[in-house]
Amino acid sequence: MGRVGPRPEGGLSLEIRLETQQGVGTGQGRSRAGGNLAQRPEPCTPHTPLPMDRTVVLITGCSSGIGLHLALRLASDPSRSFKVYATLRDLRAQGPLWEAARARGCPPGFLETLQLDVRDADSVAAARARVTEGRVDVLVCNAGRGLLGPLEVHTAGAVGSVLDVNVAGTVRTLQAFLPDMKRRRSGRILVTGSMGGLMGAWNGAGPVGGAEPGGRATGCSGLLVGDPPRRASKASSPLEGLPFNAVYCASKFAIEGLCESLAVLLPPFGVHVSLIECGPVRTAFLEKQEGVPGGALDGADAETRVLFSRYQRHLERIFREAAQDPEEVTEVFLAALRAPRPALRYFSTESFLPLAHLRLADPSGCSYVAAMHRAVFADEPAEEETASDRGGPVLCAPPAAAAPQ
């Protein structure tokens, strides 16, 4: 954990102090394992008084992306009302966080780092024990991992790793922090969700969810109450479909069920669960995915390889044209955190609600499957003959209603 320590000449300096499960080490920029650690930056405002009633926030997965930006946003909030514990699986990756904290003028005492690996229950418990306030008011379950490619080429290890982080890791984290929230009858839990856990797609013409520009979010659905729906601009055009993300989508669907179940149970305890449903965000998430296909793709049939190549081009275009900046997404987290009556779901973009409605409008799923297939694979001509070219049945048709007996 990082601590502020006195400098002999009377100023303040920041010393890295690593507390691991094996013991405590004081830093000269090196961990016990011998890895180099970036030295924590000198804060720009060293004499900021620390409020006694700060909201204590612990965030998982802060080495980059949404977790890093949310930690910085809260720790540098002008209200000075948040104490943030940014957790990382490997503290050797904390350099970019502290560099960004220095750039933002983050005051001392408002941001600390902890080692926390959601795959290890002992690591989660150790991080909880190092929260000096003795409580966590807001828990943000953000750690996650992706897996891209045809399902049949994934190794059992890659599949298990994604499920261990995204599903079991979230459960371990909740198991560690939820009992104290229930005991205190107070707490907020924010979970980073995904369109891949709702529908696998968006189509870019839906009403806005989440927070309005002023940060207000009302109503139990996470939608703004009383405001006319706005339409998606070209800048927020859709990411339509998540084929080749079967295991990732399965993990995110599981998180939806987990959070819905808890959301029904916990209000009598004063604890509220909210999902922040994200679309494509400009982070390193794609680069960090498990098992990005290389030679393993050779295990798939030729037609699947053609479709995967088309999907990759589609994905690159969407991230180039439509991905959100993480700073935009963190404002949705902040709106959920501050809402007096938190909703179960908040949406970081206005683009993917219509397809959610399509899933409900046709319970057979056929309309949704057909729309998604067209959206993802019909935007360019096929490179090779496919089953549809040969006249084979590709998409389902809604089942006929059963005749009365």
Side-chain angles (χ1 to χ4, degrees), residues 10-12 43-50 107-108 110:
L12 287 175
C44 297
T45 54
H47 301 298
T48 305
L50 303 183
F110 288 83

Side-chain angles (χ1 to χ4, degrees), residues 147-149 195 200 202 238-245 248 279-281 285-287 289 292-293 307-323 375-377 379-380:
L147 181 61
L148 179 67
M195 62 172 192
W202 354 321
L239 174 61
E240 295 162 319
L242 285 178
F244 298 110
N245 284 269
Y248 174 74
V281 183
F285 182 78
L286 288 180
E287 289 76 14
Q289 293 188 105
V292 176
L307 292 173
F308 182 68
S309 177
R310 293 167 65 184
Y311 174 71
Q312 284 184 304
R313 290 193 293 273
H314 173 84
L315 192 63
E316 290 168 1
R317 177 178 61 82
I318 290 300
F319 271 85
R320 184 174 61 251
E321 297 176 0
V376 178
F377 297 119
D379 57 350
E380 57 181 286

Side-chain angles (χ1 to χ4, degrees), residues 153-171:
V153 306
H154 295 326
T155 66
V159 172
S161 178
V162 170
L163 297 178
D164 193 21
V165 171
N166 294 5
V167 183
T170 301
V171 170

Side-chain angles (χ1 to χ4, degrees), residues 49-401:
L50 303 183
M52 298 301 294
D53 57 348
R54 291 181 297 170
T55 299
V56 179
V57 184
L58 185 141
I59 308 170
T60 66
C62 292
S63 62
S64 63
I66 293 173
L68 181 150
H69 286 86
L70 180 61
L72 293 173
R73 173 65 179 86
L74 296 178
S76 61
D77 189 75
S79 70
R80 298 294 187 257
S81 58
F82 300 106
K83 167 64 177 292
V84 179
Y85 288 92
T87 75
L88 306 89
R89 179 177 59 85
D90 185 352
L91 285 175
R92 288 174 293 185
Q94 67 181 321
L97 174 65
W98 288 110
E99 290 171 9
R102 177 176 57 190
R104 292 185 69 135
C106 185
F110 288 83
L111 176 65
E112 293 192 26
T113 55
L114 294 174
Q115 192 277 334
L116 189 158
D117 186 347
V118 299
R119 301 170 300 177
D120 182 350
D122 291 337
S123 172
V124 178
R128 181 191 60 200
R130 292 173 187 139
V131 175
T132 57
E133 292 80 3
R135 74 180 196 281
V136 168
D137 301 307
V138 179
L139 174 65
V140 182
C141 296
N142 172 71
R145 183 167 290 179
L147 181 61
L148 179 67
L151 180 65
E152 60 269 29
V153 306
H154 295 326
T155 66
V159 172
S161 178
V162 170
L163 297 178
D164 193 21
V165 171
N166 294 5
V167 183
T170 301
V171 170
R172 290 186 195 100
T173 306
L174 290 169
Q175 287 175 325
F177 292 95
L178 184 56
D180 183 65
M181 288 183 173
K182 293 172 72 176
R183 189 161 44 247
R184 292 186 294 108
R185 308 190 83 79
S186 177
R188 295 281 177 98
I189 297 169
L190 306 182
V191 180
T192 303
S194 170
M195 62 172 192
L198 286 173
M199 65 200 78
W202 354 321
N203 81 341
V208 174
E212 65 178 350
R216 178 174 62 91
T218 60
C220 61
S221 67
L223 300 180
L224 296 176
V225 175
D227 293 336
R230 300 193 294 275
R231 291 294 168 184
S233 66
K234 185 176 181 180
S236 60
S237 61
L239 174 61
E240 295 162 319
L242 285 178
F244 298 110
N245 284 269
V247 175
Y248 174 74
C249 287
S251 72
K252 287 302 185 178
F253 266 79
I255 290 300
E256 295 290 322
L258 173 68
C259 291
E260 284 193 7
S261 177
L262 291 174
V264 174
L265 170 68
L266 294 177
F269 294 93
V271 179
H272 299 276
V273 178
S274 295
L275 283 150
I276 312 302
E277 310 288 9
C278 301
V281 183
R282 293 185 183 93
T283 70
F285 182 78
L286 288 180
E287 289 76 14
K288 293 183 175 181
Q289 293 188 105
E290 285 280 333
V292 176
L297 195 59
D298 295 337
D301 61 86
E303 188 172 338
T304 298
R305 292 199 299 271
V306 169
L307 292 173
F308 182 68
S309 177
R310 293 167 65 184
Y311 174 71
Q312 284 184 304
R313 290 193 293 273
H314 173 84
L315 192 63
E316 290 168 1
R317 177 178 61 82
I318 290 300
F319 271 85
R320 184 174 61 251
E321 297 176 0
Q324 293 179 283
D325 290 323
E327 293 85 358
E328 183 180 354
V329 177
T330 60
E331 294 305 314
V332 183
F333 280 84
L334 193 62
L337 191 157
R338 287 176 164 163
R341 294 174 55 238
L344 171 59
R345 289 187 177 89
Y346 294 82
F347 299 96
S348 72
T349 176
E350 58 192 32
S351 300
F352 60 92
L353 293 180
L355 282 171
H357 297 316
L358 181 60
R359 292 183 70 208
L360 297 175
D362 178 7
S364 75
C366 292
S367 299
Y368 169 77
V369 169
M372 286 306 91
H373 186 88
R374 287 193 302 270
V376 178
F377 297 119
D379 57 350
E380 57 181 286
E383 297 177 13
E384 294 182 12
E385 184 184 53
T386 65
S388 58
D389 298 324
R390 296 189 297 267
V394 176
L395 304 176
C396 66

